[in-house]
Amino acid sequence: MDLDFTAAQDAFRAEARAWLAAHVPDAPLPSLETAEGFAAHREWERTLFADRWSVVSWPEEYGGRGASILHWLIFEEEYYAAGAPGRVSQNGINLLAPTLFEHGTAEQRARILPPMASGEVIWAQAWSEPEAGSDLSSLRSTAVRTDGGWRLSGQKTWSSRAAFADRAFGLFRSDPDTPKPHQGLTYLMFPLDAEGVTVRPIGRLDGKPAFAELFLDEVFVPDEDVIGEPGQGWRVAMSTAGNERGLTLRSPGRFIASADRLTALWRERAAASGTALRDRVVDAVIGARAYQLFTYANASRLAAGRPIGAESSLNKVFWSELDIALHETALDLLGPYGELADGAPEAPAHGSWAEGHTFSLAGPIYAGTNEIQRDIIAERLLGLPKGRR
Amino acid sequence: MRFLLDDEQREFGRTLNGLLAAAGTPAVVRAWSAGDTAPGRALWARLAEAGVFALAVPEEHDGLGPLPVELAVAFGELGRHAVPGPLVETVAAAALLDRLDDGDVMRTWLPQIASGKAVVSLCAPGANSPYALDADACDAVFVIDDDTLRVAEGHGKVQASLDPARRLARPHGGPVLGRGPEVIAAAAHAADVAALATAAQSLGLGRALLARTVDYARQRTQFGVAIGSFQAVKHRLADTLIALEFAQPLLYAAALMLATAHPAAGREIAAAKVSAGEAAYAAARTALQLHGALGYTEELDLSLWIRKARPLRDAWGTPSACRARVLAP
């Protein structure tokens, strides 16, 4: 057991740090939940891609560096420590790409992955429906067989990034007559500007259109845009959901960087803050470190050929609650200034705690609610009996 | 980096777990609480045979260590089985003596600690307590006062703890074994080892409390179904597991950093101590709540674990002291 990085890993860290120091914009980009910010972030993806930093863990043929998961964690630590912009391509890179690596065809990978890596095509996810959130098996949008492909109809909602993205991926019911609700689903990709697609942006809690509603009316999708076997969409999607909750959605670097910023904020205000707030700062700092170490252990487990299964639910609950604690504590330290929206003339110059706080509040809801995650932990890790939800 | 226990370390933990499960520790704990230390001393000898105390003693004094990661593994199992006695104090005393310049003191005590012949207690500033644990059942009580190390000549009345298996007394008198800055540094190191071992013990204790409570929730029925099928029960148990699981890597990292004398080791130990202590105490609260009135009885062996959780949380570094240390510049 050790925590030592190899010389090669240290060199990789130094290379990433130097590149970021030279390229991270001096001023923060506008929020990626605005048209202007979306464009600026797309440009940033292009910059990352040009030097092969946008998808370090992908094979080189698709624009990556073939880096191990540990290298990816190192890159992420440096990325967040450098204060680099949020990743607008995250849905594609973290959700769709792992699915394509596992279930896609060579043709699909060659066609879809490079423009995803460069930010040329930005993906939205289209999982949820008005009456299907955490219970994805109750999806009702349909895919009906047609000549050379499928016709999609129905409604998707809470579609992250869809207000400004180019394409979307999601699950559709292709066989309404199966005995079980999670059978007869097919995993498909479609352009958001296709004929029959209507995108209606939905304002988030802070008013920014971070997601959208999608109305689909006989939208044609060719066979080549089906991932995996038709009817097997549930199985295909579940491998993606595991990725999302597991290692890749929220790397520890993000929380370590937030904890460092929180510590700096506390040091500035320690005299006025008292021990109750100090203890909350410490707990957030400890939480970020615990999450980092837990992830190192998981990465070591993966490297040793052991899979991560339901354990990813432990991650999801932990980081989502940690994220809220970090931001709530920062707002409390800021006192009356905590309330000011980012960009307000007198907003604190400590980074985007206000927008970060709003975003953190969504953590226990998306990627499978924390209630569902706790059920998974209780049933699959502790062996408690299934019950009514 | 390979931040996972290796096969040998895991096997060591499994062996200890098997040994302790077969030893029937609840009876040992109850005897120890009643002042009959013979079964406890017998178990101590078997733990020594398995190598537990040698882990804290260097090879030149008949030990195997110091091996902080293996100590963390061992104390996890000692906590899981609620083993009584000054376990933490004995390994911390070994760490203390190992840092002294006095060859005679080391030659006298370290081999005896390694072999399990000497059961010792320790009263040091890091514990922030005037009491020595189990002074009446020990072969020696080491006391550090400022920069002076003594071996106590006696102790005051044994005082009852909320955990009856913890017997507390004030040590007094005794010859001076060492004095000076070296003692202060050795005491700080001993307190780090004690905090690490206590954190490990807490985590093992918490895991035992969770396992017993999960078993109970699976078989206890109310309203015609197992209470473990209720979402409120499930979620509380899930949160208990989350707290324990995320404290575990902090503990191993702290042990690794102690092993390499990393400059941030003290901070990491403090983080591990507060996380493990709070997780185990929360596990005790959950165990009590889900066992209901049954859990609130002395007869049920569960009480042996429940009553340990709070004292361990506060021993060798209260949560508040540990939190202050994490943020110290």
Side-chain angles (χ1 to χ4, degrees), chain A residues 1-6 9 70 263 266-267 275 278-283 285-287 289-291 293-298 300-302 304 306 313-315 317-319 321 370-375 377-379 381-389, chain B residues 1-7 9-10 69 210 213-214 217-218 226-231 233-239 241-243 245-247 249-254 256-257 260 267-268 270-272 274-275 319-324 326-329:
Chain A
M1 163 171 260
D2 70 69
L3 272 170
D4 302 326
F5 293 100
T6 63
Q9 287 161 347
L70 198 55
T263 305
W266 180 79
R267 291 206 198 288
T275 51
R278 180 207 69 186
D279 284 357
R280 287 172 53 198
V281 171
V282 175
D283 287 346
V285 167
I286 294 175
R289 176 66 170 156
Y291 184 58
L293 292 165
F294 191 81
T295 306
Y296 285 162
N298 275 338
S300 302
R301 219 164 268 137
L302 283 172
R306 282 185 257 158
S313 294
L314 299 168
N315 264 21
V317 176
F318 191 84
W319 65 247
E321 294 195 340
N370 281 12
E371 283 74 18
I372 293 291
Q373 304 309 326
R374 287 188 170 93
D375 281 348
I377 292 165
E379 289 167 15
L381 296 179
L382 294 176
L384 289 163
K386 279 190 185 272
R388 293 178 63 177
R389 298 283 176 234
Chain B
M1 173 194 305
R2 191 176 184 280
F3 190 50
L4 279 184
L5 294 180
D6 62 33
D7 291 346
Q9 289 162 334
R10 278 203 303 273
V69 175
L210 175 61
T213 308
V214 166
R218 284 156 57 97
I227 63 169
S229 67
F230 299 141
Q231 208 172 35
V233 170
K234 278 183 180 168
H235 288 193
R236 190 154 181 176
L237 290 167
D239 284 336
L241 179 66
I242 290 170
E245 286 287 343
F246 280 88
L250 284 167
L251 177 76
Y252 289 145
L256 280 171
M257 287 165 77
T260 56
R267 201 173 303 170
E268 197 88 335
V274 64
S275 302
S320 180
C322 289
R323 286 189 173 103
V326 170
L327 220 51

Side-chain angles (χ1 to χ4, degrees), chain B residues 122-210:
Chain B
L122 176 66
C123 202
N128 201 27
S129 162
Y131 306 113
L133 183 68
D134 297 315
D136 58 326
C138 276
D139 302 297
V141 179
F142 295 101
V143 181
I144 296 153
D145 205 354
D146 195 17
D147 69 343
T148 306
L149 170 67
R150 290 178 292 120
V151 54
E153 65 185 5
H155 58 82
K157 207 170 158 42
V158 172
Q159 318 215 25
S161 157
L162 286 172
D163 171 10
R166 288 173 63 86
R167 305 164 56 81
L168 306 169
R170 284 178 191 266
H172 56 68
V176 171
L177 296 183
R179 180 171 278 147
E182 171 197 306
V183 168
I184 294 177
H189 173 63
D192 278 348
V193 171
L196 182 82
T198 308
Q201 219 179 356
S202 289
L203 267 185
L205 187 88
R207 288 193 185 277
L209 284 160
L210 175 61

Side-chain angles (χ1 to χ4, degrees), chain B:
Chain B
M1 173 194 305
R2 191 176 184 280
F3 190 50
L4 279 184
L5 294 180
D6 62 33
D7 291 346
E8 210 174 320
Q9 289 162 334
R10 278 203 303 273
E11 183 52 34
F12 177 54
R14 270 196 295 270
T15 304
L16 278 182
N17 184 32
L19 184 162
L20 291 166
T25 51
V28 180
V29 181
R30 289 186 188 280
W32 191 276
S33 304
D36 172 11
T37 56
R41 291 289 297 233
L43 183 57
W44 192 285
R46 298 191 57 199
L47 290 170
E49 251 173 66
V52 168
F53 303 105
L55 297 172
V57 174
E59 288 179 27
E60 66 261 36
H61 293 288
D62 302 347
L64 301 164
L67 292 170
V69 175
E70 283 74 7
L71 269 177
V73 171
F75 274 77
E77 299 306 326
L78 298 176
R80 191 194 301 275
H81 294 278
V83 178
L87 299 151
V88 166
E89 290 67 21
T90 292
V91 295
L96 172 90
L97 299 175
D98 183 27
R99 292 284 170 109
L100 292 182
D101 243 354
D102 191 327
D104 285 345
V105 173
M106 291 190 287
R107 272 190 296 278
T108 307
W109 289 104
L110 288 176
Q112 292 198 57
I113 288 175
S115 68
K117 285 199 190 78
V119 172
V120 305
S121 196
L122 176 66
C123 202
N128 201 27
S129 162
Y131 306 113
L133 183 68
D134 297 315
D136 58 326
C138 276
D139 302 297
V141 179
F142 295 101
V143 181
I144 296 153
D145 205 354
D146 195 17
D147 69 343
T148 306
L149 170 67
R150 290 178 292 120
V151 54
E153 65 185 5
H155 58 82
K157 207 170 158 42
V158 172
Q159 318 215 25
S161 157
L162 286 172
D163 171 10
R166 288 173 63 86
R167 305 164 56 81
L168 306 169
R170 284 178 191 266
H172 56 68
V176 171
L177 296 183
R179 180 171 278 147
E182 171 197 306
V183 168
I184 294 177
H189 173 63
D192 278 348
V193 171
L196 182 82
T198 308
Q201 219 179 356
S202 289
L203 267 185
L205 187 88
R207 288 193 185 277
L209 284 160
L210 175 61
R212 282 166 175 259
T213 308
V214 166
D215 285 348
Y216 183 71
R218 284 156 57 97
Q219 48 102 353
R220 166 74 167 169
T221 59
Q222 288 282 268
F223 309 106
V225 292
I227 63 169
S229 67
F230 299 141
Q231 208 172 35
V233 170
K234 278 183 180 168
H235 288 193
R236 190 154 181 176
L237 290 167
D239 284 336
T240 306
L241 179 66
I242 290 170
L244 294 166
E245 286 287 343
F246 280 88
Q248 187 78 65
L250 284 167
L251 177 76
Y252 289 145
L256 280 171
M257 287 165 77
L258 186 66
T260 56
H262 192 284
R267 201 173 303 170
E268 197 88 335
I269 291 167
K273 177 72 174 64
V274 64
S275 302
E278 297 286 21
Y281 179 59
R285 292 275 323 278
T286 296
L288 176 55
Q289 183 66 27
L290 298 187
H291 279 80
L294 192 65
Y296 199 68
T297 61
E298 197 182 12
E299 282 89 347
L300 196 70
D301 281 344
L302 186 75
S303 69
L304 309 178
W305 279 259
I306 288 179
R307 290 187 294 197
K308 274 205 150 18
R310 187 81 187 183
L312 286 183
R313 168 185 175 272
D314 299 333
W316 294 103
T318 61
S320 180
C322 289
R323 286 189 173 103
R325 197 172 180 196
V326 170
L327 220 51

Side-chain angles (χ1 to χ4, degrees), chain A residues 156-177:
Chain A
K156 293 285 180 179
T157 193
W158 317 128
S159 186
S160 297
R161 299 286 105 84
F164 306 111
D166 306 297
R167 289 173 68 85
F169 54 91
L171 284 181
F172 292 83
R173 191 161 295 286
S174 51
D175 181 354
D177 300 322

